[in-house]
Amino acid sequence: MLRSIPIKIKVNELIVKTIELYKQGLQHCIDVAWGMKIRNNVELHPFVYKDLRKMGLPSQLSIACIKQSCGMVKKAKSNPIINKVSIRYNAPRSFSFKNNVLSISTIQGRVKVPIKIPDYALKYFNWEIRESLLTQSKDKYYFTFTFLKETPNCSQHNNRVLGVDLGINKIAVTSENKFYGQEIKSLRKKRDRFVSELQSKGTRASKRKLKKFSGVWNRFMSWTNHNISKSIISELKEGDVVVMEDLSNIRTTARYNKWIHKWAFRQLQSFIEYKALSKGIRVVYVNPRYTSKECNRCHSRNTIRHSGFFECKDCGHSLDSDINGARNIAQRYMQNMCRAIVNTPVDLMSDDSVLNV
Ligand SMILES: [Zn+2]
């Protein structure tokens, strides 16, 4: 399991110069690699290494630069131009961290930077430190530590684990950035208007109409759920895992109390289960607590959400709030935190809210 923890650092002139030089070096490597159609760092090395050293970059950073440039050229459709740069550091060759002091390689030897580790991140500093990044964002500088913890159950897992977050406006959002049923939002508004018109009339005829319409809407939602579950499952193969939130205790979770559509979500889960079972895909449920509040990158709950967007105040991570939720759901399973209720059948029609939707 990997975790990235960005920590704001104070930099001196040497570090600023190192970043600037690294940026120039990276652009040079990219230009050469692009011009010569080289995509492999071993091949590129003899053409640029001496230039980088002459520019003043230390050996380890030159090597990092060459590697990074090939990675970028490989993905690019045209000669890449660098605006922002992240320097890759490897422990112990180009950086080390001891007693809250970071020691990083610069153009003039190692520079020591004292660091204050935020409380939420303390536990990760017991893990193994892997390749980490020095980045600049406007006038702020971050050192993003990457930590690794071997978790046997997760590393044995070669299959895909897909987190699925259920919501009102986007019916399902996956940890792999797919949205389903976004068109429902506007239809639901129309339905609400229609229903309240009929309700305000209060005549016998309008009540009859209301009842009939409620059936129409429920059939439409079932059809929608059928399609959504079908497309989610069609993306997966035998052995993969779908992770969703366990909604059986939804009454205790504020977020779901608003849902007058509970049955629709339960129905969608049961459709997903049903289709998953027939393809040998596992369905697992995790505890829904804080899945929308927690940052999927650093797991801090010091976060804000506004108009569908999620932002972490601790690490600066920002993304669609439902994707954040879906990723948390998937990660919860990966971390073996699931209160495993595997393939439990869901009682669809027991909910008395059916006629009210
Ligand atoms: Zn965060």
Side-chain angles (χ1 to χ4, degrees), residues 6 120 295-300 303 310 312-317:
Y120 79 86
C295 167
N296 80 77
R297 191 162 78 177
C298 74
H299 296 274
S300 161
T303 61
F310 177 94
C312 173
K313 285 183 169 173
D314 279 336
C315 78
H317 192 36

Side-chain angles (χ1 to χ4, degrees), residues 5 18 21 32 39 50 77 80 100 108 176 228 254 259 352:
I5 308 291
T18 304
L21 211 61
V32 174
R39 305 289 181 263
K50 277 192 182 147
K77 291 204 169 83
N100 288 4
Q108 279 175 41
E176 296 178 5
I228 291 174
W259 292 7
D352 52 11

Side-chain angles (χ1 to χ4, degrees), residues 243 284-287 332-341:
V243 192
V284 171
Y285 292 97
V286 295
N287 188 340
R332 246 168 229 204
Y333 166 71
M334 305 282 271
Q335 292 162 11
N336 295 323
M337 277 166 59
C338 49
R339 317 256 181 284
I341 311 167

Side-chain angles (χ1 to χ4, degrees), residues 281-338:
I281 295 163
R282 276 216 297 153
V283 176
V284 171
Y285 292 97
V286 295
N287 188 340
R289 261 190 115 183
Y290 303 122
T291 47
S292 58
K293 198 162 188 254
E294 207 168 279
C295 167
N296 80 77
R297 191 162 78 177
C298 74
H299 296 274
S300 161
R301 284 175 202 154
N302 183 16
T303 61
I304 42 170
R305 278 159 291 158
H306 47 85
S307 41
F309 220 70
F310 177 94
E311 212 184 310
C312 173
K313 285 183 169 173
D314 279 336
C315 78
H317 192 36
S318 68
L319 74 169
D320 179 278
S321 54
D322 296 321
I323 293 179
N324 178 64
R327 289 186 189 169
N328 278 331
I329 291 168
Q331 282 172 13
R332 246 168 229 204
Y333 166 71
M334 305 282 271
Q335 292 162 11
N336 295 323
M337 277 166 59
C338 49

Side-chain angles (χ1 to χ4, degrees), residues 80-145:
I81 304 294
I82 308 295
N83 311 312
K84 267 209 275 186
V85 69
S86 294
I87 305 185
R88 293 184 194 175
Y89 279 98
N90 282 290
R93 277 166 296 165
S94 53
F95 87 95
S96 62
F97 185 73
K98 237 189 209 167
N99 304 328
N100 288 4
V101 177
L102 175 69
S103 161
I104 53 172
S105 194
T106 71
I107 48 174
Q108 279 175 41
R110 293 276 180 129
V111 163
K112 288 191 161 51
V113 186
I115 280 186
K116 193 180 174 326
I117 305 168
D119 289 347
Y120 79 86
L122 278 169
K123 59 180 174 191
Y124 301 113
F125 282 82
N126 297 320
W127 298 14
E128 186 190 331
I129 299 185
R130 304 301 289 258
E131 184 178 81
S132 298
L133 296 173
L134 172 66
T135 44
Q136 179 190 5
S137 171
K138 289 175 192 155
D139 53 348
K140 287 177 189 142
Y141 295 82
Y142 294 89
F143 196 80
T144 304
F145 288 90

